[in-house]
Amino acid sequence: MMNSRISRRRLMQAAGATALATSATPAAPALGMGVEGPDTPKLCMGIGGNMTEAGMRRWKQIGIDHVLSGGGPIPWQEADIRSRMERLKAGGLTLANMMIVGFPNAIYGRRGRDEDIEKVRQSSRAAGRAGLPVIEYNFYAHRAVEGYYEEPGRGGAGMTSFDNERIKDLPPLPEEGAHSLDAMWNNVTYFLKAVVPVAQESGVRLALHPNDPPPPISRGSGQIMGSLAGWKRLVDIVKSPSNGITFDCGVTRELGEDPVEVARYFGARDCINHVHFRNVRTYVPRLKYTEVFPDEGEVNMFAVMKELVRQKYPRLVYPEHPRVLDADREQAGAGGVGGMRGSCITCGTPGP
């Protein structure tokens, strides 16, 4: 008798395979469960610094084959990236995205920004030589994390909520200053025109994550990626597959937008270079919302996945921001977001 506890992840794969099969004519009946392939989205999780054999085995045990990680200080070195990728490959995992940080002068348009940008260019070349396909980054003037708080969800699980009322009157931080929206657009334009051509030559795609939380003003600064109009403007600055976004269906709904339509817009322009896959309940667009389990929010997660499969989006899908379960709290005192067990639920698999 078939096991009644078929994982949500396997069902999601099957749904994706069915959607792909039904888009072709003629189509043979789909048999069995769908699998990840060259032209399908690939479920991933963050490996962090836990590249031990035990850490890699935990992800393999829940069906994860692809991972992402932070990249460390810049400029990156090819040998370091290659070593990391080979270590993960030995554990059955493919590293396909690294987050780059450490260029604040470029973000704020300060003295030294050309030196920061050159480090990003060098890192892009190193990533390309090592075979890393995607580099993710942020361009926040200030990330409004002070507006986050935890509230109880089903069964007492920890939900992450955001309310702009908590932060709307906070002053700029001395180390950041206040920057107008126009100034931030000037800064990112300067950055992209210098970095994107090198990334493209190196065979690397850049993925800028939306502002999350997405209030229009954060500690006195405008947020370039805090609106759908901003996302569209960003990819038009330098038109290239290497100038793309992290499409986050949760943030899309936080903005009050339709995630399927937004995925279709950017997918048609080959600008989705990474995907964050999570659900929310939005009370006031951009200003007040709660991050929830994948099966209980306003985003039609199945419809989003069908759209990605229809596009033959082939890169990573990251079910980020796992909810906090008691089992994680008992093990490690988890705070605002969950740990391994919460990640298992977020991935759509029964927790251990």
Side-chain angles (χ1 to χ4, degrees):
M1 182 176 179
M2 184 179 293
N3 187 341
S4 62
R5 295 186 68 201
I6 296 175
S7 75
R8 295 189 195 90
R9 177 174 188 262
R10 295 295 300 280
L11 289 174
M12 184 169 70
Q13 286 180 325
T18 301
L20 189 59
T22 55
S23 67
T25 304
L31 300 176
M33 303 299 282
V35 295
E36 293 173 349
D39 294 327
T40 68
K42 295 168 180 64
L43 191 66
C44 78
M45 290 304 295
I47 194 69
N50 193 13
M51 286 189 286
T52 63
E53 182 178 350
M56 292 186 284
R57 278 169 54 87
R58 291 190 186 103
W59 290 132
K60 290 298 294 182
Q61 286 171 0
I62 67 169
I64 297 296
D65 298 320
H66 294 80
V67 292
L68 52 79
S69 76
I74 58 173
W76 295 345
Q77 303 299 316
E78 176 187 352
D80 293 339
I81 300 172
R82 199 176 290 278
S83 175
R84 184 180 304 202
M85 294 177 75
E86 290 174 353
R87 181 174 181 81
L88 289 165
K89 184 177 179 180
L93 298 170
T94 298
L95 178 64
N97 180 339
M98 286 180 15
M99 172 69 76
I100 193 166
V101 298
F103 46 96
N105 295 321
I107 293 174
Y108 298 122
R110 295 172 178 163
R111 181 182 301 175
R113 71 173 175 177
D114 289 334
E115 290 81 356
D116 277 3
I117 286 172
E118 182 55 31
K119 290 178 182 178
V120 176
R121 288 157 55 99
Q122 291 177 26
S123 299
S124 297
R125 294 189 184 102
R129 291 193 297 267
L132 182 77
V134 176
I135 296 175
E136 191 174 13
Y137 69 108
N138 291 314
F139 216 89
Y140 290 110
H142 175 77
R143 187 176 184 189
V145 293
E146 301 92 336
Y148 282 136
Y149 59 99
E150 184 178 328
E151 63 175 295
R154 65 187 186 205
M159 304 289 108
T160 301
S161 291
F162 174 80
D163 188 349
N164 194 60
E165 288 294 316
R166 292 176 168 238
I167 64 164
K168 65 179 184 178
D169 296 323
L170 292 179
L173 295 174
E175 65 272 22
E176 293 176 350
H179 306 268
S180 70
L181 191 60
D182 286 343
M184 292 302 298
W185 278 116
N186 289 339
N187 295 345
V188 78
T189 298
Y190 188 91
F191 176 85
L192 291 173
K193 288 183 175 180
V195 170
V196 171
V198 173
Q200 183 168 325
E201 291 168 5
S202 303
V204 172
R205 287 176 177 252
L206 303 176
L208 177 55
H209 192 283
N211 283 96
D212 184 32
I217 301 294
S218 179
R219 281 193 179 266
S221 290
Q223 305 296 314
I224 60 171
M225 292 291 281
S227 69
L228 179 57
W231 301 6
K232 292 178 177 180
R233 178 175 175 178
L234 185 283
V235 299
D236 282 343
I237 291 172
V238 180
K239 293 188 177 182
S240 165
S242 292
N243 180 30
I245 66 168
T246 294
F247 167 66
D248 189 319
C249 57
V251 178
T252 305
R253 188 61 200 142
E254 293 167 15
L255 299 177
E257 304 288 350
D258 180 344
V260 175
E261 290 299 320
V262 172
R264 187 169 296 129
Y265 178 91
F266 288 100
R269 289 156 177 78
D270 194 20
C271 291
I272 299 178
N273 290 345
H274 183 48
V275 171
H276 284 183
F277 197 66
R278 60 183 176 83
N279 215 334
V280 299
R281 294 194 193 104
T282 301
Y283 311 114
V284 182
R286 304 178 74 181
L287 302 179
K288 186 174 176 61
Y289 59 86
T290 300
E291 299 178 16
V292 297
F293 286 105
D295 61 335
E296 61 178 6
E298 297 167 353
V299 180
N300 186 333
M301 307 294 280
F302 179 65
V304 171
M305 184 58 68
K306 282 177 63 179
E307 175 58 27
L308 294 173
V309 170
R310 186 195 66 79
Q311 296 175 16
K312 294 189 177 181
Y313 166 78
R315 287 172 287 279
L316 301 186
V317 173
Y318 181 27
E320 59 160 0
H321 295 192
R323 300 298 93 230
V324 184
L325 305 183
D326 288 350
D328 283 320
R329 288 192 178 101
E330 291 160 4
Q331 182 181 40
V337 294
M340 179 68 186
R341 290 161 176 80
S343 294
C344 290
I345 299 299
T346 305
C347 283
T349 10

